[in-house]
Structures are given as C-alpha cells and as structure tokens.
Amino acid sequence: MKMSSLGDVVHTLPAVTEAAMNVPGLQLDWVVEEAFAEIPTWHPSVNKVIPVALRRWRKNPYKALRSGEWADFGEKLRSDYDLVIDAQGLLKSAFIAKKAGTEIVGYDRTSVREPLSSAFYHRRYSVAKQMHAVERTRELFAQGLGYAKNGAPDYGLKIDATESEEPGPTVMFLHGTTWRTKHWPESFWGGLARRCREAGYNVWAAWGNEQEKERAERLKASSGVRVLPRMSLKGVAEHIAGAQVIVTVDTGLGHLAAALAKPTIALYGPTNPALTGIYGAQQTSLASSYHCAPCMRKHCRYEVLGEKFDYPPCWNDLSPDVIWERVIKLVDRERIT
C-alpha cells in the first residue's frame, strides 16, 4: 500500500527492487491512487497494479457506493495474499489494507505518520523518522520480509528516452509545483533559460495545468524555451530520460528525474530536502540559507505581515547565476561520460 503522492510513490520503488532481489518467487501487487497508477507498471517486478480512487471518492462517497466502484475495488483486494505492507502509514491506507483480509505489516506508533494506524497492523516495526523516505521504506520492507537492507537504492525503472531533434545539450525545466512559496521566481527561470540558450543549449518546459502552461508560454516568448505538449506521466518521464540536465522545484516530477538517474538540480526555498528531497545518483539539492528557511509554510511569513514582494526573499540565495554555474558543470560532466 503506497497510494500517493507522486513523490511518495517514486520513493517506494527502490524497496520493490530490493524485495524482488531478496525474496525468491515474490509476486508483488501495488495499490496506488489512480492518478499515479502508471508509475508502478514501469517497474519489472510489479505483478499487478490495483488503482484506488480515494481522492475522487471522498468528493462524492455516495456515488462511489452506488456506482459499485468501491465494491469492485474490494473484490480486487480479496485475493490470496500472504502479506500486506502498508508503506503509507496513514489511517486511510491502514483501513484499505484491512480489506485484504490477511496479515498486515507497518510502522510502529513511534515511527508512523498517524500513530492510530499502527493499531491495524499485525506486525509493527521501528524505523527512524530521521531517515530519508526512500531508506525508511526500504527498511520497512526489509524487516517485514526478513532480509537485510544493503547497498545503494535502485529505482528499477525501465523508460525509453525521447531526445531532442536539435543539436546541443538539453536542459529540462520542471517549474510546476503546489504551494505558492515553493515556486522559483518566473524571472529567475527566464534568466536561466536565456543563459542556456546563449550557450547553445536546448531548453524544454513541461507543464501539467493551464497556469503552468501560461508560465511556459511566457518563458517561450521571453527566453526561447520549447514548450512541450500536454503528456501522460510516461510521456513526461520519456522526455526527462532524454534530457541531459533537469532543473526542478520541490515537486513530484523532480523525484521522477532522480529515479531515472538524470543529473538533477532541485531548488528548495521554504522546504527541507533532508527527509523527502530528491534522492539518488547525480542529484543536487540546493536549499536556501535565508534566516527563516526552511519554514515549511504555504504562505510566506513576510507576506502575512503585510510586506509586498514578488516572491519570498528566501529565493534570493538561489539566483539564476548560482544555478547556471551548476548547470554548466553537469552538462560538461555528461559530455565527458
């Protein structure tokens, strides 16, 4: 059970890889939110993906019951499973795990995000909260399935790359995120894009909603980026795989870039990369050193106090010049290898 969000689903992949290597004959099915159901299918060790629509059902629970969707989902869970691992650690995931009617493994109440969920588990394991989410999930799987966690994480994804038809290296911008404070300033994206284009690099801008598309179109007009079409998650992953360098804010697609082992620069202003940041080979997390960062706030404290500004001041530590120097180094490294 690891249903959401995008980053959490990606963080679970190395545990699946390791479990398949250590448990002969393992057949693993994965319950995941329907919006992210593509991702587990890319892993060769996942036997079956069972989509769940909790986010949609909660908006209209009566419709979910009347339509039979909830009953159909329950039937899919009532299989002859030997074990269920609740890697989410929430009441909602524990409740769904219970529907499988078999032994459930999860975090103990000192390790889990919602302590009450541990009451649903038959076996509970202590896993340090200070560990990165990737390592916490690997540790839970290892304890639950009876092997020793070992080595570097392997996300195990198999994705074909869509490469640029234009000459020169390609830098891909993952500029869309949720909280307003997590957005790197648009003027900064434009400044970085101009530096890339002047150096002969291609720049791709992905988008997932109208607001992100409008931002990408403005960057195209001001800085010459190529606006990618709307794509499925797999389409975005194929473009990530085809780029030489990824620049991302704190967003789920950044974790996908890390899972594909692409050289990635991730930018953190109000958030902390230590426990849930990008994780893996060739990953660079740049965090603001501003006095109140990381504040973990959706609204900047200075904005609440009535000060007017275009973006939270913590982003001034991470200017286009700072990021451009990192991009050059990564592009040069890719050319050598």
Side-chain angles (χ1 to χ4, degrees):
M1 302 283 169
K2 197 58 170 275
M3 299 182 292
S4 61
S5 58
L6 174 55
D8 290 340
V9 171
V10 171
H11 285 160
T12 307
L13 294 167
V16 172
T17 304
E18 196 166 36
M21 292 175 60
N22 284 278
V23 183
L26 175 70
Q27 291 197 35
L28 187 145
D29 295 351
W30 190 330
V31 177
V32 62
E33 268 286 346
E34 59 183 0
F36 311 119
E38 277 187 83
I39 297 173
T41 67
W42 306 338
H43 197 293
S45 297
V46 174
N47 176 55
K48 181 171 68 175
V49 175
I50 304 174
V52 65
L54 276 187
R55 293 182 174 183
R56 179 164 54 82
W57 293 341
R58 279 185 297 192
K59 294 178 181 178
N60 194 336
Y62 177 70
K63 181 179 179 181
L65 291 170
R66 188 180 58 182
S67 68
E69 280 192 277
W70 175 248
D72 290 344
F73 171 72
E75 284 299 317
K76 292 175 183 176
L77 276 188
R78 280 190 280 273
S79 183
D80 189 21
Y81 292 114
D82 298 298
L83 189 71
V84 172
I85 300 177
D86 180 9
Q88 193 91 44
L90 300 175
L91 280 169
K92 65 178 183 181
S93 57
F95 173 73
I96 289 178
K98 195 75 173 175
K99 290 182 68 64
T102 191
E103 185 180 18
I104 306 172
V105 163
Y107 300 101
D108 70 14
R109 63 177 295 105
T110 65
S111 308
V112 76
R113 287 174 60 186
E114 293 183 355
L116 281 177
S117 63
S118 66
F120 288 80
Y121 308 147
H122 299 90
R123 284 191 277 139
R124 306 169 185 86
Y125 295 102
S126 176
V127 179
K129 286 186 174 180
Q130 292 74 27
M131 297 169 66
H132 190 279
V134 167
E135 299 301 336
R136 274 175 51 83
T137 309
R138 288 179 67 196
E139 184 63 31
L140 178 63
F141 272 60
Q143 292 192 50
L145 294 172
Y147 58 84
K149 187 181 74 171
N150 185 43
D154 177 2
Y155 289 87
L157 294 187
K158 306 297 181 184
I159 291 289
D160 295 327
T162 299
E163 299 180 352
S164 176
E165 297 177 356
E166 302 176 56
T170 298
V171 179
M172 186 167 177
F173 288 176
L174 302 177
H175 57 96
T177 187
T178 49
W179 301 358
R180 179 185 174 192
T181 51
K182 291 198 294 185
H183 281 281
W184 201 44
E186 186 173 324
S187 60
F188 285 16
W189 284 113
L192 179 60
R194 285 189 291 275
R195 288 163 175 77
C196 289
R197 297 295 293 150
E198 289 166 3
Y201 300 174
N202 306 304
V203 182
W204 290 345
W207 58 276
N209 57 42
E210 285 304 310
Q211 183 182 27
E212 293 170 13
K213 182 181 180 182
E214 290 170 5
R215 184 188 305 117
E217 292 288 355
R218 290 193 296 270
L219 291 173
K220 176 182 178 180
S222 67
S223 313
V225 308
R226 178 188 168 193
V227 180
L228 297 176
R230 180 186 286 275
M231 294 177 286
S232 66
L233 271 175
K234 187 173 184 181
V236 176
E238 289 170 345
H239 279 77
I240 289 173
Q244 279 64 59
V245 175
I246 311 298
V247 182
T248 181
V249 286
D250 185 1
T251 182
L253 291 177
H255 298 292
L256 186 54
L260 294 170
K262 300 304 297 185
T264 302
I265 302 167
L267 311 176
Y268 297 87
T271 54
N272 186 351
L275 300 181
T276 57
I278 58 170
Y279 196 76
Q282 305 190 79
Q283 309 306 306
T284 302
S285 294
L286 299 181
S288 173
S289 59
Y290 199 65
H291 71 91
C292 56
C295 65
M296 305 302 295
R297 295 168 64 115
K298 295 182 180 181
H299 301 281
C300 180
R301 62 185 292 184
Y302 291 103
E303 184 177 38
V304 172
L305 292 172
E307 295 191 25
K308 294 184 178 180
F309 46 77
D310 294 329
Y311 53 83
C314 57
W315 284 122
N316 285 321
D317 289 349
L318 302 176
S319 68
D321 287 335
V322 170
I323 311 308
W324 171 235
E325 290 178 5
R326 299 285 185 142
V327 169
I328 293 172
K329 291 178 181 178
L330 289 178
V331 169
D332 287 346
R333 187 188 305 168
E334 284 292 284
R335 282 171 168 164
I336 292 171
T337 56

